Amino acid sequence: MSDRSLRGMRLGAQSMETEAGVEPAARQRVEYRCEDGEQVFVIFAAEADIPATWMSKTGKIAKLVNGDVAEEESNEKPVRTHWDMLLERRSIDELETILKDRLDKLRTTRGAAQAALKG
Protein backbone atom coordinates (compact mmCIF):
# COMPACT_ATOMS: atom_id res chain seq x y z
CA MET A 1 0.00 0.00 0.00
CA SER A 2 1.14 3.56 -0.56
CA ASP A 3 2.79 5.54 2.16
CA ARG A 4 0.22 8.37 1.72
CA SER A 5 -2.92 6.70 2.95
CA LEU A 6 -6.18 8.64 2.87
CA ARG A 7 -7.70 6.62 5.67
CA GLY A 8 -9.10 8.82 8.42
CA MET A 9 -8.74 12.00 6.35
CA ARG A 10 -11.64 14.41 5.86
CA LEU A 11 -11.93 14.35 2.10
CA GLY A 12 -13.16 17.60 0.64
CA ALA A 13 -12.36 19.56 3.78
CA GLN A 14 -8.63 19.65 3.10
CA SER A 15 -6.84 19.87 -0.20
CA MET A 16 -3.96 17.54 -1.02
CA GLU A 17 -2.48 20.14 -3.40
CA THR A 18 0.35 22.36 -2.32
CA GLU A 19 0.69 26.02 -3.16
CA ALA A 20 4.26 25.60 -4.35
CA GLY A 21 4.81 27.37 -7.67
CA VAL A 22 1.44 29.12 -7.58
CA GLU A 23 1.70 32.85 -8.20
CA PRO A 24 -1.18 35.00 -6.90
CA ALA A 25 -2.74 37.59 -9.20
CA ALA A 26 -1.28 41.08 -9.13
CA ARG A 27 -3.13 43.31 -6.67
CA GLN A 28 -3.19 46.92 -5.62
CA ARG A 29 -4.19 48.52 -2.33
CA VAL A 30 -6.40 51.58 -2.73
CA GLU A 31 -7.13 54.16 -0.06
CA TYR A 32 -10.45 55.92 0.39
CA ARG A 33 -11.21 58.61 2.96
CA CYS A 34 -14.52 59.80 4.43
CA GLU A 35 -15.28 63.45 5.17
CA ASP A 36 -14.77 62.83 8.89
CA GLY A 37 -11.26 61.43 8.26
CA GLU A 38 -12.06 57.71 8.45
CA GLN A 39 -9.70 55.73 6.19
CA VAL A 40 -10.85 52.75 4.16
CA PHE A 41 -8.38 50.43 2.41
CA VAL A 42 -9.61 48.12 -0.34
CA ILE A 43 -7.64 45.52 -2.32
CA PHE A 44 -8.36 45.38 -6.07
CA ALA A 45 -6.86 43.38 -8.92
CA ALA A 46 -4.14 45.32 -10.75
CA GLU A 47 -6.21 45.59 -13.94
CA ALA A 48 -9.51 46.46 -12.18
CA ASP A 49 -11.34 49.73 -12.74
CA ILE A 50 -11.14 51.69 -9.50
CA PRO A 51 -14.41 53.37 -8.45
CA ALA A 52 -14.27 57.03 -7.36
CA THR A 53 -16.29 56.34 -4.20
CA TRP A 54 -16.62 53.41 -1.80
CA MET A 55 -19.00 52.77 1.07
CA SER A 56 -17.23 52.18 4.37
CA LYS A 57 -18.29 49.56 6.92
CA THR A 58 -19.95 52.32 8.93
CA GLY A 59 -22.16 53.23 5.95
CA LYS A 60 -20.40 56.49 5.03
CA ILE A 61 -19.32 57.41 1.51
CA ALA A 62 -15.54 57.54 1.14
CA LYS A 63 -13.75 59.25 -1.73
CA LEU A 64 -10.66 57.98 -3.53
CA VAL A 65 -7.33 59.38 -2.33
CA ASN A 66 -4.42 59.92 -4.77
CA GLY A 67 -5.96 58.10 -7.67
CA ASP A 68 -6.28 58.57 -11.39
CA VAL A 69 -9.94 57.87 -12.01
CA ALA A 70 -11.74 59.02 -15.12
CA GLU A 71 -14.68 61.23 -14.34
CA GLU A 72 -17.99 59.55 -14.93
CA GLU A 73 -19.57 60.86 -18.08
CA SER A 74 -23.20 61.88 -18.00
CA ASN A 75 -24.05 60.64 -21.50
CA GLU A 76 -26.80 58.52 -20.05
CA LYS A 77 -30.37 59.18 -21.04
CA PRO A 78 -32.53 60.51 -18.23
CA VAL A 79 -34.86 57.91 -16.77
CA ARG A 80 -38.26 58.05 -18.44
CA THR A 81 -41.17 57.37 -16.16
CA HIS A 82 -44.52 55.94 -17.15
CA TRP A 83 -45.99 59.45 -16.88
CA ASP A 84 -43.37 60.86 -19.29
CA MET A 85 -44.14 58.20 -21.88
CA LEU A 86 -47.87 58.77 -21.45
CA LEU A 87 -47.45 62.50 -22.05
CA GLU A 88 -45.58 61.74 -25.29
CA ARG A 89 -48.74 60.07 -26.64
CA ARG A 90 -51.57 62.09 -25.09
CA SER A 91 -52.27 65.65 -23.96
CA ILE A 92 -53.51 66.52 -20.48
CA ASP A 93 -56.99 67.32 -21.89
CA GLU A 94 -57.18 63.89 -23.56
CA LEU A 95 -56.12 62.19 -20.33
CA GLU A 96 -58.75 64.04 -18.31
CA THR A 97 -61.44 63.01 -20.83
CA ILE A 98 -60.36 59.36 -20.72
CA LEU A 99 -60.27 59.43 -16.90
CA LYS A 100 -63.80 60.91 -16.74
CA ASP A 101 -65.14 58.25 -19.16
CA ARG A 102 -63.53 55.39 -17.21
CA LEU A 103 -64.80 56.70 -13.87
CA ASP A 104 -68.33 57.05 -15.26
CA LYS A 105 -68.20 53.48 -16.58
CA LEU A 106 -66.87 52.19 -13.24
CA ARG A 107 -69.57 54.02 -11.27
CA THR A 108 -72.25 52.67 -13.60
CA THR A 109 -71.11 49.05 -13.22
CA ARG A 110 -70.78 49.42 -9.45
CA GLY A 111 -74.24 50.95 -9.23
CA ALA A 112 -75.70 48.05 -11.23
CA ALA A 113 -73.91 45.51 -9.02
CA GLN A 114 -75.13 47.15 -5.84
CA ALA A 115 -78.71 47.30 -7.18
CA ALA A 116 -78.53 43.59 -8.04
CA LEU A 117 -77.39 42.79 -4.50
CA LYS A 118 -80.20 44.80 -2.92
CA GLY A 119 -82.89 43.45 -5.24
Side-chain angles (χ1 to χ4, degrees):
M1 199 151 160
S2 79
D3 49 349
R4 261 180 61 171
S5 176
L6 297 178
R7 187 169 47 104
M9 181 126 189
R10 295 177 299 221
L11 292 176
Q14 294 176 339
S15 174
M16 298 298 288
E17 294 184 24
T18 63
E19 294 183 11
V22 176
E23 186 113 4
R27 299 181 291 174
Q28 58 181 329
R29 185 175 187 227
V30 179
E31 179 184 358
Y32 291 91
R33 192 168 293 142
C34 297
E35 289 182 9
D36 64 353
E38 177 185 355
Q39 292 179 325
V40 179
F41 295 99
V42 183
I43 305 294
F44 289 101
E47 65 274 355
D49 293 330
I50 308 300
T53 59
W54 192 264
M55 184 165 292
S56 70
K57 291 180 181 178
T58 57
K60 301 173 195 165
I61 299 295
K63 294 183 180 178
L64 183 63
V65 177
N66 298 331
D68 297 329
V69 175
E71 292 294 322
E72 294 182 16
E73 298 178 19
S74 60
N75 291 341
E76 298 177 16
K77 291 182 183 178
V79 177
R80 287 176 39 201
T81 63
H82 177 72
W83 180 249
D84 294 332
M85 291 184 269
L86 191 61
L87 288 178
E88 290 175 3
R89 293 177 293 182
R90 307 230 191 250
S91 69
I92 297 290
D93 293 335
E94 287 178 308
L95 291 172
E96 287 177 353
T97 305
I98 293 170
L99 176 63
K100 183 182 175 301
D101 292 344
R102 297 305 296 174
L103 286 174
D104 289 342
K105 183 176 181 181
L106 179 66
R107 288 179 183 135
T108 303
T109 57
R110 280 192 181 168
Q114 287 178 353
L117 289 174
K118 289 181 182 178

